[in-house]
Amino acid sequence: MASMEIDVPFSIPREEAVSRIKNLLTEVKNEHGAIIKNLTESWEGNTGSFSFTAQGFDISGTLTVNENSLHLDARLPMALTMFKGTISKMITDRAANLLA
């Protein structure tokens, strides 16, 4: 497994950011249900753990909503490392829009 870390700054209240992030995984599942399977998500305070399978690849990680930023620490299969930059940009753009 390869590690991918992303930090996305925001200026909204932390509680609002947590609420928006919690809804994001459900939205992504609804949008890409044909690709994403076995989505699990659990939250303890401002930290959430997730895992899912996307086109046969298992992906998991944690989301930590800090006071002014979202930190994502994900584990990707080695086969996806060549797409790491594209995946990172896609996640960063989506999170920045969500937390604007």
Side-chain angles (χ1 to χ4, degrees):
M1 291 294 232
S3 180
M4 178 176 68
E5 292 191 44
I6 300 171
D7 287 293
V8 179
F10 60 81
S11 59
I12 62 175
R14 179 193 284 188
E15 296 76 23
E16 178 65 20
V18 170
S19 176
R20 291 182 189 187
I21 293 297
K22 284 182 179 181
N23 291 327
L24 176 63
L25 290 175
T26 302
E27 288 175 19
V28 170
K29 169 76 169 117
N30 290 337
E31 291 171 10
H32 304 287
I35 298 170
I36 296 175
K37 305 290 181 202
N38 306 319
L39 174 66
T40 63
E41 174 185 10
S42 64
W43 285 84
E44 187 172 318
N46 297 323
T47 301
S49 298
F50 66 89
S51 66
F52 59 90
T53 302
Q55 295 193 335
F57 295 106
D58 294 328
I59 299 167
S60 62
T62 58
L63 295 162
T64 305
V65 182
N66 298 309
E67 196 62 41
N68 298 309
S69 68
L70 168 68
H71 179 77
L72 167 71
D73 183 9
R75 288 165 295 289
L76 304 172
M78 293 304 284
L80 295 180
T81 56
M82 68 178 147
F83 302 107
K84 192 173 170 180
T86 302
I87 294 168
S88 178
K89 181 172 176 12
M90 199 168 63
I91 292 170
T92 300
D93 291 349
R94 180 93 185 241
N97 264 345
L98 181 73
L99 298 172

Coordinates of all heavy atoms in Angstrom, one line a residue:
M1 N 0.8 -1.2 0.0 CA 0.0 0.0 0.0 C 0.9 1.2 0.0 O 1.9 1.3 0.7 CB -0.9 0.0 1.2 CG -2.0 -1.0 1.3 SD -3.2 -0.8 0.0 CE -4.7 -0.8 0.9
A2 N 0.4 2.2 -0.7 CA 1.1 3.5 -0.8 C 0.3 4.5 0.1 O -0.9 4.5 0.1 CB 1.2 4.0 -2.2
S3 N 1.0 5.5 0.6 CA 0.4 6.5 1.4 C 0.2 7.8 0.6 O 1.0 8.1 -0.2 CB 1.2 6.8 2.7 OG 0.6 7.8 3.5
M4 N -0.9 8.4 0.9 CA -1.2 9.7 0.2 C -1.8 10.7 1.3 O -2.7 10.3 2.0 CB -2.2 9.6 -0.9 CG -2.6 10.9 -1.6 SD -3.7 10.7 -3.0 CE -5.2 10.2 -2.1
E5 N -1.1 11.8 1.5 CA -1.5 12.8 2.5 C -1.9 14.1 1.8 O -1.2 14.5 0.9 CB -0.5 13.0 3.5 CG -0.3 11.8 4.4 CD 0.6 12.1 5.6 OE1 0.4 13.2 6.2 OE2 1.5 11.3 5.9
I6 N -3.0 14.7 2.2 CA -3.5 15.9 1.6 C -4.0 16.8 2.7 O -4.6 16.3 3.6 CB -4.7 15.6 0.6 CG1 -4.3 14.7 -0.5 CG2 -5.3 16.9 0.1 CD1 -5.4 14.2 -1.4
D7 N -3.7 18.1 2.6 CA -4.2 19.1 3.6 C -4.9 20.1 2.8 O -4.4 20.6 1.8 CB -3.0 19.7 4.3 CG -2.5 18.8 5.4 OD1 -3.2 18.5 6.3 OD2 -1.3 18.4 5.2
V8 N -6.1 20.4 3.2 CA -7.0 21.4 2.5 C -7.4 22.5 3.5 O -8.1 22.2 4.5 CB -8.2 20.8 1.9 CG1 -9.1 21.8 1.2 CG2 -7.8 19.7 0.9
P9 N -6.9 23.7 3.4 CA -7.3 24.8 4.3 C -8.7 25.2 4.1 O -9.3 25.1 3.0 CB -6.3 25.9 4.0 CG -5.9 25.7 2.6 CD -6.0 24.2 2.4
F10 N -9.3 25.7 5.2 CA -10.7 26.3 5.1 C -10.8 27.4 6.2 O -10.0 27.5 7.1 CB -11.8 25.2 5.2 CG -11.7 24.4 6.5 CD1 -12.3 25.0 7.7 CD2 -11.2 23.2 6.6 CE1 -12.3 24.2 8.9 CE2 -11.1 22.5 7.8 CZ -11.7 23.0 8.9
S11 N -11.9 28.2 6.0 CA -12.1 29.3 7.0 C -13.5 29.2 7.6 O -13.9 30.1 8.4 CB -11.9 30.6 6.3 OG -12.8 30.8 5.2
I12 N -14.3 28.2 7.4 CA -15.6 28.0 8.0 C -15.4 27.4 9.4 O -14.3 26.9 9.7 CB -16.5 27.1 7.1 CG1 -15.9 25.7 7.0 CG2 -16.8 27.8 5.8 CD1 -16.9 24.7 6.2
P13 N -16.4 27.5 10.3 CA -16.2 26.8 11.6 C -16.0 25.3 11.5 O -16.5 24.7 10.6 CB -17.6 27.1 12.3 CG -18.1 28.3 11.6 CD -17.6 28.2 10.1
R14 N -15.2 24.8 12.4 CA -14.8 23.4 12.3 C -16.1 22.5 12.3 O -16.1 21.5 11.6 CB -14.0 23.0 13.5 CG -13.6 21.5 13.5 CD -13.0 21.1 14.8 NE -11.6 21.5 14.9 CZ -10.8 21.1 15.9 NH1 -11.2 20.3 16.8 NH2 -9.6 21.6 16.0
E15 N -17.1 22.8 13.1 CA -18.3 22.0 13.2 C -19.0 21.9 11.9 O -19.5 20.8 11.5 CB -19.3 22.5 14.3 CG -18.7 22.4 15.7 CD -17.7 23.5 16.0 OE1 -17.7 24.6 15.3 OE2 -16.9 23.3 16.9
E16 N -19.0 23.0 11.1 CA -19.6 23.0 9.8 C -18.8 22.2 8.8 O -19.3 21.5 8.0 CB -19.7 24.5 9.3 CG -20.3 24.6 7.9 CD -21.7 24.2 7.8 OE1 -22.5 24.1 8.8 OE2 -22.2 23.9 6.6
A17 N -17.5 22.3 8.9 CA -16.6 21.5 8.1 C -16.8 20.0 8.3 O -16.9 19.2 7.4 CB -15.2 21.8 8.3
V18 N -16.9 19.6 9.6 CA -17.2 18.2 9.9 C -18.5 17.7 9.3 O -18.6 16.6 8.7 CB -17.2 17.9 11.4 CG1 -17.7 16.5 11.8 CG2 -15.8 18.2 12.0
S19 N -19.5 18.5 9.4 CA -20.8 18.2 8.9 C -20.8 18.0 7.4 O -21.3 17.0 6.8 CB -21.8 19.3 9.3 OG -23.1 19.0 8.7
R20 N -20.1 18.9 6.7 CA -20.0 18.8 5.2 C -19.2 17.6 4.8 O -19.6 16.9 3.8 CB -19.4 20.1 4.7 CG -20.3 21.3 4.8 CD -19.6 22.5 4.2 NE -20.4 23.7 4.5 CZ -20.1 24.9 4.0 NH1 -19.0 25.0 3.1 NH2 -20.8 26.0 4.3
I21 N -18.1 17.3 5.5 CA -17.3 16.2 5.1 C -18.0 14.9 5.4 O -17.9 14.0 4.5 CB -16.0 16.2 6.0 CG1 -15.1 17.4 5.6 CG2 -15.2 14.9 5.8 CD1 -14.6 17.4 4.1
K22 N -18.8 14.8 6.4 CA -19.6 13.6 6.7 C -20.6 13.3 5.6 O -20.8 12.1 5.2 CB -20.3 13.7 8.0 CG -19.4 13.5 9.2 CD -20.2 13.6 10.5 CE -19.4 13.3 11.7 NZ -20.2 13.4 13.0
N23 N -21.1 14.3 5.0 CA -22.1 14.1 3.9 C -21.4 13.8 2.6 O -22.0 13.2 1.7 CB -23.0 15.4 3.7 CG -23.9 15.6 4.9 OD1 -24.4 14.6 5.5 ND2 -24.2 16.8 5.2
L24 N -20.1 14.2 2.5 CA -19.4 14.0 1.2 C -19.3 12.6 0.8 O -19.5 12.2 -0.4 CB -18.0 14.7 1.3 CG -17.1 14.5 0.1 CD1 -17.7 15.1 -1.2 CD2 -15.7 15.0 0.3
L25 N -18.9 11.7 1.7 CA -18.7 10.3 1.4 C -20.0 9.7 0.9 O -20.0 8.9 -0.1 CB -18.1 9.5 2.5 CG -16.7 9.8 2.9 CD1 -16.2 9.1 4.2 CD2 -15.7 9.5 1.8
T26 N -21.1 10.0 1.5 CA -22.4 9.5 1.0 C -22.7 10.1 -0.4 O -23.2 9.3 -1.2 CB -23.5 10.0 2.0 OG1 -23.2 9.4 3.3 CG2 -24.9 9.4 1.6
E27 N -22.4 11.3 -0.6 CA -22.6 11.9 -2.0 C -21.8 11.2 -3.0 O -22.3 10.9 -4.1 CB -22.3 13.4 -2.0 CG -23.3 14.3 -1.2 CD -22.8 15.7 -1.2 OE1 -22.0 16.1 -2.0 OE2 -23.3 16.4 -0.3
V28 N -20.5 10.9 -2.7 CA -19.7 10.3 -3.7 C -20.2 8.9 -3.9 O -20.2 8.4 -5.1 CB -18.2 10.2 -3.1 CG1 -17.3 9.3 -4.0 CG2 -17.6 11.6 -3.1
K29 N -20.6 8.2 -2.9 CA -21.2 6.8 -3.1 C -22.4 6.9 -4.0 O -22.6 6.1 -4.9 CB -21.6 6.2 -1.8 CG -22.4 4.9 -1.8 CD -21.6 3.7 -2.2 CE -22.3 2.5 -2.0 NZ -22.6 1.7 -3.2
N30 N -23.3 7.9 -3.8 CA -24.5 8.0 -4.6 C -24.1 8.4 -6.1 O -24.8 7.9 -7.0 CB -25.4 9.1 -4.1 CG -26.1 8.6 -2.8 OD1 -26.2 7.5 -2.5 ND2 -26.5 9.6 -2.0
E31 N -23.1 9.2 -6.3 CA -22.7 9.6 -7.6 C -22.0 8.5 -8.4 O -22.1 8.4 -9.6 CB -21.8 10.8 -7.5 CG -22.4 12.1 -7.1 CD -21.4 13.2 -6.8 OE1 -20.2 13.0 -7.2 OE2 -21.8 14.2 -6.3
H32 N -21.2 7.7 -7.7 CA -20.4 6.7 -8.3 C -20.7 5.3 -7.8 O -19.8 4.4 -7.6 CB -18.9 7.0 -8.1 CG -18.6 8.4 -8.6 ND1 -18.4 8.7 -9.9 CD2 -18.3 9.5 -7.9 CE1 -18.1 10.0 -10.0 NE2 -18.0 10.5 -8.8
G33 N -21.9 5.0 -7.5 CA -22.3 3.7 -6.9 C -21.9 2.5 -7.8 O -21.7 1.4 -7.2
A34 N -21.8 2.7 -9.1 CA -21.4 1.6 -9.9 C -20.0 1.2 -9.8 O -19.5 0.1 -10.1 CB -21.7 1.9 -11.4
I35 N -19.2 2.2 -9.2 CA -17.7 2.0 -9.1 C -17.4 1.7 -7.6 O -16.5 0.9 -7.4 CB -17.0 3.2 -9.6 CG1 -17.2 3.4 -11.1 CG2 -15.5 3.1 -9.3 CD1 -16.7 4.8 -11.6
I36 N -18.0 2.4 -6.7 CA -17.7 2.3 -5.3 C -18.6 1.3 -4.6 O -19.8 1.3 -4.6 CB -17.8 3.7 -4.6 CG1 -16.8 4.6 -5.2 CG2 -17.6 3.6 -3.1 CD1 -16.9 6.0 -4.7
K37 N -17.9 0.3 -3.9 CA -18.6 -0.7 -3.2 C -18.1 -0.8 -1.7 O -17.0 -0.3 -1.4 CB -18.4 -2.1 -3.8 CG -18.8 -2.2 -5.3 CD -20.3 -2.1 -5.5 CE -20.6 -2.2 -7.0 NZ -21.8 -1.6 -7.3
N38 N -18.8 -1.4 -0.9 CA -18.4 -1.7 0.5 C -17.9 -0.4 1.3 O -16.9 -0.5 2.0 CB -17.3 -2.8 0.5 CG -17.7 -4.0 -0.2 OD1 -18.9 -4.4 -0.1 ND2 -16.8 -4.6 -1.0
L39 N -18.6 0.7 1.1 CA -18.2 1.9 1.8 C -18.5 1.8 3.3 O -19.7 1.5 3.7 CB -18.9 3.1 1.2 CG -18.7 4.4 1.9 CD1 -17.3 4.9 1.8 CD2 -19.6 5.5 1.3
T40 N -17.5 2.0 4.1 CA -17.7 2.1 5.6 C -17.1 3.4 6.0 O -16.1 3.9 5.5 CB -17.1 0.9 6.3 OG1 -15.7 0.9 6.2 CG2 -17.7 -0.4 5.9
E41 N -17.8 4.0 7.0 CA -17.3 5.3 7.6 C -17.7 5.3 9.1 O -18.8 4.9 9.4 CB -18.0 6.4 6.8 CG -17.8 7.7 7.3 CD -18.7 8.8 6.6 OE1 -19.6 8.4 5.8 OE2 -18.4 10.0 6.8
S42 N -16.7 5.7 9.9 CA -17.0 5.9 11.3 C -16.3 7.2 11.8 O -15.2 7.5 11.3 CB -16.6 4.7 12.1 OG -15.2 4.5 12.1
W43 N -17.0 7.9 12.7 CA -16.4 9.1 13.2 C -16.3 9.1 14.7 O -17.2 8.5 15.4 CB -17.3 10.3 12.8 CG -17.2 10.6 11.4 CD1 -17.8 10.1 10.3 CD2 -16.3 11.6 10.8 NE1 -17.4 10.6 9.2 CE2 -16.5 11.6 9.4 CE3 -15.4 12.5 11.4 CZ2 -15.8 12.5 8.6 CZ3 -14.7 13.4 10.6 CH2 -14.9 13.4 9.2
E44 N -15.2 9.6 15.2 CA -15.0 9.9 16.6 C -14.6 11.3 16.8 O -13.4 11.6 16.4 CB -14.0 8.9 17.2 CG -13.9 9.0 18.7 CD -13.1 7.9 19.3 OE1 -13.2 6.7 18.9 OE2 -12.3 8.2 20.2
G45 N -15.5 12.2 17.2 CA -15.1 13.6 17.3 C -14.9 14.1 15.9 O -15.7 14.0 15.0
N46 N -13.7 14.7 15.7 CA -13.3 15.4 14.4 C -12.5 14.5 13.5 O -11.9 14.9 12.6 CB -12.5 16.7 14.7 CG -13.4 17.7 15.5 OD1 -14.6 17.8 15.3 ND2 -12.8 18.4 16.4
T47 N -12.4 13.2 13.9 CA -11.6 12.2 13.1 C -12.5 11.1 12.6 O -13.3 10.5 13.3 CB -10.5 11.6 13.9 OG1 -9.7 12.7 14.4 CG2 -9.6 10.7 13.0
G48 N -12.5 10.9 11.3 CA -13.3 9.9 10.6 C -12.4 8.9 9.9 O -11.3 9.2 9.4
S49 N -12.8 7.6 10.0 CA -12.1 6.5 9.3 C -13.0 6.0 8.2 O -14.2 6.0 8.4 CB -11.8 5.4 10.2 OG -10.9 5.8 11.2
F50 N -12.4 5.7 7.0 CA -13.2 5.2 5.9 C -12.5 4.1 5.2 O -11.3 3.9 5.3 CB -13.5 6.3 5.0 CG -12.3 6.9 4.3 CD1 -11.9 6.3 3.1 CD2 -11.6 7.9 4.8 CE1 -10.8 6.8 2.4 CE2 -10.5 8.4 4.2 CZ -10.0 7.8 3.0
S51 N -13.3 3.3 4.5 CA -12.7 2.3 3.6 C -13.8 2.0 2.5 O -15.0 2.1 2.8 CB -12.3 1.0 4.3 OG -13.4 0.4 4.8
F52 N -13.3 1.6 1.3 CA -14.2 1.2 0.3 C -13.4 0.5 -0.8 O -12.2 0.5 -0.8 CB -15.0 2.5 -0.3 CG -14.1 3.5 -0.9 CD1 -13.7 3.5 -2.3 CD2 -13.6 4.6 -0.1 CE1 -12.9 4.5 -2.8 CE2 -12.8 5.6 -0.7 CZ -12.4 5.5 -2.0
T53 N -14.1 -0.1 -1.7 CA -13.5 -0.8 -2.8 C -14.0 0.0 -4.1 O -15.2 0.2 -4.3 CB -14.0 -2.2 -2.9 OG1 -13.6 -2.9 -1.7 CG2 -13.3 -3.0 -4.1
A54 N -13.0 0.4 -4.9 CA -13.3 1.1 -6.2 C -12.7 0.3 -7.3 O -11.5 0.1 -7.4 CB -12.8 2.5 -6.2
Q55 N -13.5 -0.3 -8.1 CA -13.1 -1.1 -9.3 C -12.1 -2.2 -8.9 O -11.1 -2.4 -9.5 CB -12.6 -0.2 -10.4 CG -13.7 0.6 -11.0 CD -13.3 1.3 -12.3 OE1 -12.1 1.5 -12.6 NE2 -14.3 1.6 -13.1
G56 N -12.4 -2.8 -7.8 CA -11.6 -3.9 -7.3 C -10.4 -3.5 -6.4 O -9.7 -4.4 -5.9
F57 N -10.2 -2.2 -6.2 CA -9.0 -1.8 -5.4 C -9.6 -1.3 -4.0 O -10.5 -0.5 -4.0 CB -8.3 -0.6 -6.1 CG -7.7 -0.9 -7.4 CD1 -8.2 -0.5 -8.6 CD2 -6.5 -1.6 -7.4 CE1 -7.5 -0.8 -9.8 CE2 -5.8 -1.9 -8.5 CZ -6.4 -1.5 -9.8
D58 N -8.9 -1.8 -3.0 CA -9.3 -1.4 -1.6 C -8.6 -0.2 -1.2 O -7.3 -0.1 -1.4 CB -8.9 -2.5 -0.6 CG -9.8 -3.8 -0.9 OD1 -10.9 -3.7 -1.3 OD2 -9.3 -4.9 -0.6
I59 N -9.3 0.8 -0.8 CA -8.8 2.1 -0.4 C -9.3 2.4 1.0 O -10.5 2.2 1.3 CB -9.3 3.2 -1.4 CG1 -8.7 2.9 -2.8 CG2 -8.8 4.6 -0.9 CD1 -9.3 3.7 -3.9
S60 N -8.4 2.9 1.9 CA -8.9 3.3 3.2 C -8.1 4.5 3.7 O -7.1 4.9 3.1 CB -8.6 2.1 4.2 OG -7.3 1.7 4.2
G61 N -8.5 5.0 4.8 CA -7.8 6.1 5.4 C -8.5 6.8 6.5 O -9.5 6.3 7.0
T62 N -8.0 8.0 6.9 CA -8.6 8.8 8.0 C -8.7 10.2 7.5 O -7.9 10.7 6.7 CB -7.8 8.8 9.3 OG1 -6.4 9.2 9.0 CG2 -7.7 7.4 9.9
L63 N -9.7 10.9 8.0 CA -9.9 12.3 7.8 C -9.9 13.0 9.1 O -10.6 12.6 10.0 CB -11.3 12.6 7.1 CG -11.5 12.0 5.7 CD1 -13.0 11.9 5.4 CD2 -10.8 12.9 4.7
T64 N -9.1 14.0 9.3 CA -9.0 14.7 10.5 C -9.3 16.2 10.2 O -8.7 16.8 9.4 CB -7.6 14.7 11.2 OG1 -7.3 13.3 11.3 CG2 -7.6 15.4 12.5
V65 N -10.4 16.7 10.8 CA -10.8 18.1 10.6 C -10.2 18.9 11.8 O -10.6 18.8 12.9 CB -12.3 18.2 10.6 CG1 -12.7 19.7 10.4 CG2 -13.0 17.3 9.6
N66 N -9.1 19.6 11.4 CA -8.4 20.5 12.4 C -9.2 21.8 12.4 O -10.2 22.0 11.7 CB -7.0 20.6 12.0 CG -6.2 19.3 12.0 OD1 -6.3 18.6 12.9 ND2 -5.6 19.0 10.8
E67 N -8.6 22.7 13.2 CA -9.3 24.0 13.4 C -9.5 24.8 12.0 O -10.5 25.4 11.8 CB -8.5 24.9 14.4 CG -9.3 26.1 14.9 CD -10.5 25.7 15.7 OE1 -10.5 24.7 16.5 OE2 -11.6 26.4 15.5
N68 N -8.5 24.7 11.2 CA -8.5 25.5 9.9 C -8.1 24.7 8.7 O -7.9 25.2 7.6 CB -7.5 26.7 10.0 CG -8.0 27.7 11.1 OD1 -9.1 28.1 11.1 ND2 -7.1 28.0 12.0
S69 N -8.1 23.3 8.8 CA -7.7 22.5 7.7 C -8.2 21.1 7.8 O -8.5 20.6 8.9 CB -6.2 22.5 7.5 OG -5.6 21.8 8.5
L70 N -8.4 20.5 6.7 CA -8.8 19.1 6.6 C -7.5 18.3 6.3 O -6.8 18.7 5.3 CB -9.8 18.9 5.5 CG -10.1 17.4 5.1 CD1 -10.8 16.7 6.3 CD2 -11.0 17.4 3.9
H71 N -7.2 17.3 7.0 CA -6.1 16.4 6.7 C -6.6 15.0 6.3 O -7.4 14.4 7.1 CB -5.2 16.3 7.9 CG -4.0 15.4 7.7 ND1 -2.9 15.8 6.9 CD2 -3.7 14.1 8.0 CE1 -2.0 14.8 6.9 NE2 -2.5 13.8 7.5
L72 N -6.2 14.6 5.2 CA -6.5 13.2 4.7 C -5.3 12.4 4.6 O -4.2 12.8 4.1 CB -7.1 13.3 3.2 CG -7.2 12.0 2.5 CD1 -8.3 11.1 3.1 CD2 -7.4 12.2 1.0
D73 N -5.3 11.2 5.2 CA -4.2 10.3 5.2 C -4.9 9.0 4.6 O -5.6 8.3 5.3 CB -3.7 10.0 6.6 CG -2.5 9.1 6.6 OD1 -2.0 8.8 5.5 OD2 -2.0 8.7 7.7
A74 N -4.5 8.7 3.4 CA -5.2 7.5 2.7 C -4.1 6.5 2.3 O -2.9 6.8 2.1 CB -5.9 8.0 1.5
R75 N -4.6 5.3 2.2 CA -3.7 4.2 1.8 C -4.3 3.7 0.5 O -5.4 3.3 0.4 CB -3.7 3.1 2.8 CG -2.8 3.6 4.0 CD -3.0 2.7 5.3 NE -4.3 2.7 5.9 CZ -4.9 3.8 6.6 NH1 -4.2 4.9 6.7 NH2 -6.0 3.7 7.1
L76 N -3.4 3.7 -0.6 CA -3.8 3.3 -1.9 C -3.0 2.0 -2.3 O -1.9 1.9 -1.9 CB -3.5 4.4 -2.9 CG -4.1 5.8 -2.7 CD1 -3.5 6.7 -3.7 CD2 -5.6 5.7 -2.8
P77 N -3.7 1.2 -3.1 CA -2.9 0.0 -3.6 C -1.8 0.5 -4.5 O -1.9 1.6 -5.1 CB -3.9 -0.7 -4.5 CG -5.3 -0.2 -4.0 CD -5.0 1.2 -3.5
M78 N -0.7 -0.2 -4.5 CA 0.5 0.2 -5.3 C 0.1 0.4 -6.8 O 0.7 1.2 -7.5 CB 1.6 -0.9 -5.2 CG 2.2 -1.0 -3.8 SD 2.9 0.6 -3.2 CE 4.4 0.7 -4.1
A79 N -0.8 -0.3 -7.3 CA -1.2 -0.2 -8.7 C -1.8 1.2 -9.0 O -1.8 1.6 -10.2 CB -2.3 -1.3 -9.0
L80 N -2.2 1.9 -8.0 CA -2.8 3.2 -8.2 C -1.8 4.4 -8.0 O -2.1 5.5 -8.2 CB -4.0 3.5 -7.3 CG -5.2 2.6 -7.6 CD1 -6.3 2.9 -6.6 CD2 -5.7 2.7 -9.0
T81 N -0.6 4.0 -7.7 CA 0.4 5.1 -7.4 C 0.7 6.0 -8.6 O 1.0 7.1 -8.4 CB 1.7 4.5 -6.8 OG1 2.3 3.6 -7.7 CG2 1.5 3.9 -5.4
M82 N 0.6 5.4 -9.8 CA 0.9 6.3 -10.9 C -0.2 7.3 -11.2 O 0.0 8.3 -11.9 CB 1.1 5.4 -12.2 CG -0.1 4.7 -12.7 SD 0.4 3.8 -14.2 CE -0.6 2.4 -14.1
F83 N -1.4 7.1 -10.5 CA -2.5 8.1 -10.6 C -2.6 9.0 -9.4 O -3.5 9.7 -9.2 CB -3.8 7.3 -10.8 CG -3.8 6.5 -12.0 CD1 -3.8 5.1 -11.9 CD2 -3.8 7.0 -13.3 CE1 -3.8 4.3 -13.0 CE2 -3.9 6.2 -14.4 CZ -3.8 4.8 -14.3
K84 N -1.6 8.9 -8.5 CA -1.6 9.6 -7.2 C -1.8 11.1 -7.4 O -2.6 11.7 -6.7 CB -0.4 9.3 -6.4 CG -0.4 9.7 -5.0 CD 0.9 9.1 -4.3 CE 1.1 9.7 -3.0 NZ 2.3 9.2 -2.3
G85 N -1.1 11.7 -8.3 CA -1.2 13.1 -8.6 C -2.6 13.5 -9.0 O -3.2 14.5 -8.5
T86 N -3.2 12.7 -9.9 CA -4.5 13.0 -10.4 C -5.6 12.8 -9.3 O -6.5 13.7 -9.2 CB -4.8 12.1 -11.6 OG1 -3.9 12.2 -12.6 CG2 -6.2 12.3 -12.2
I87 N -5.4 11.8 -8.5 CA -6.3 11.5 -7.4 C -6.2 12.6 -6.4 O -7.2 13.1 -5.9 CB -6.0 10.1 -6.8 CG1 -6.3 9.0 -7.8 CG2 -6.8 9.9 -5.5 CD1 -5.8 7.6 -7.4
S88 N -5.0 13.0 -6.1 CA -4.8 14.1 -5.1 C -5.4 15.4 -5.5 O -6.1 16.1 -4.8 CB -3.3 14.3 -4.9 OG -3.1 15.3 -4.0
K89 N -5.3 15.8 -6.8 CA -5.8 17.0 -7.3 C -7.4 17.0 -7.3 O -8.0 17.9 -6.9 CB -5.3 17.3 -8.7 CG -5.9 18.6 -9.3 CD -5.3 19.0 -10.6 CE -5.9 20.2 -11.2 NZ -6.8 21.0 -10.5
M90 N -7.9 15.8 -7.7 CA -9.4 15.7 -7.7 C -9.9 15.8 -6.3 O -10.9 16.5 -6.1 CB -9.7 14.3 -8.3 CG -11.1 14.2 -8.8 SD -11.4 12.6 -9.7 CE -11.0 11.4 -8.5
I91 N -9.3 15.2 -5.3 CA -9.8 15.3 -3.9 C -9.6 16.7 -3.4 O -10.5 17.2 -2.8 CB -9.0 14.3 -3.0 CG1 -9.4 12.8 -3.4 CG2 -9.3 14.5 -1.5 CD1 -8.6 11.8 -2.8
T92 N -8.5 17.3 -3.7 CA -8.2 18.7 -3.2 C -9.2 19.6 -3.7 O -9.8 20.5 -3.0 CB -6.8 19.1 -3.5 OG1 -5.8 18.2 -2.9 CG2 -6.5 20.5 -3.1
D93 N -9.5 19.6 -5.0 CA -10.4 20.5 -5.7 C -11.8 20.3 -5.1 O -12.5 21.2 -4.8 CB -10.5 20.2 -7.2 CG -9.2 20.7 -7.9 OD1 -8.4 21.4 -7.2 OD2 -9.1 20.4 -9.1
R94 N -12.3 19.0 -4.9 CA -13.6 18.7 -4.4 C -13.7 19.2 -3.0 O -14.7 19.8 -2.6 CB -13.9 17.2 -4.5 CG -15.2 16.8 -4.0 CD -16.2 16.7 -5.1 NE -17.6 16.4 -4.6 CZ -18.3 15.4 -5.0 NH1 -17.8 14.5 -5.8 NH2 -19.5 15.2 -4.5
A95 N -12.7 18.9 -2.2 CA -12.7 19.4 -0.7 C -12.7 20.9 -0.6 O -13.4 21.5 0.2 CB -11.6 18.7 0.0
A96 N -11.9 21.6 -1.4 CA -11.8 23.0 -1.4 C -13.2 23.6 -1.7 O -13.6 24.6 -1.1 CB -10.7 23.5 -2.3
N97 N -13.9 23.1 -2.7 CA -15.2 23.6 -3.1 C -16.2 23.3 -2.0 O -17.0 24.2 -1.6 CB -15.7 22.8 -4.4 CG -15.4 23.6 -5.6 OD1 -15.1 24.8 -5.6 ND2 -15.6 22.9 -6.7
L98 N -16.1 22.2 -1.4 CA -17.0 21.8 -0.3 C -16.9 22.7 0.9 O -17.8 23.0 1.6 CB -16.8 20.3 0.0 CG -17.7 19.7 1.1 CD1 -19.1 19.5 0.6 CD2 -17.1 18.4 1.6
L99 N -15.6 23.0 1.2 CA -15.3 23.8 2.4 C -15.2 25.3 2.2 O -14.8 26.0 3.1 CB -14.0 23.2 3.0 CG -14.1 21.7 3.5 CD1 -12.8 21.2 3.9 CD2 -15.2 21.5 4.5
A100 N -15.6 25.7 1.0 CA -15.5 27.2 0.7 C -16.6 28.0 1.4 O -17.7 27.5 1.8 CB -15.6 27.4 -0.7

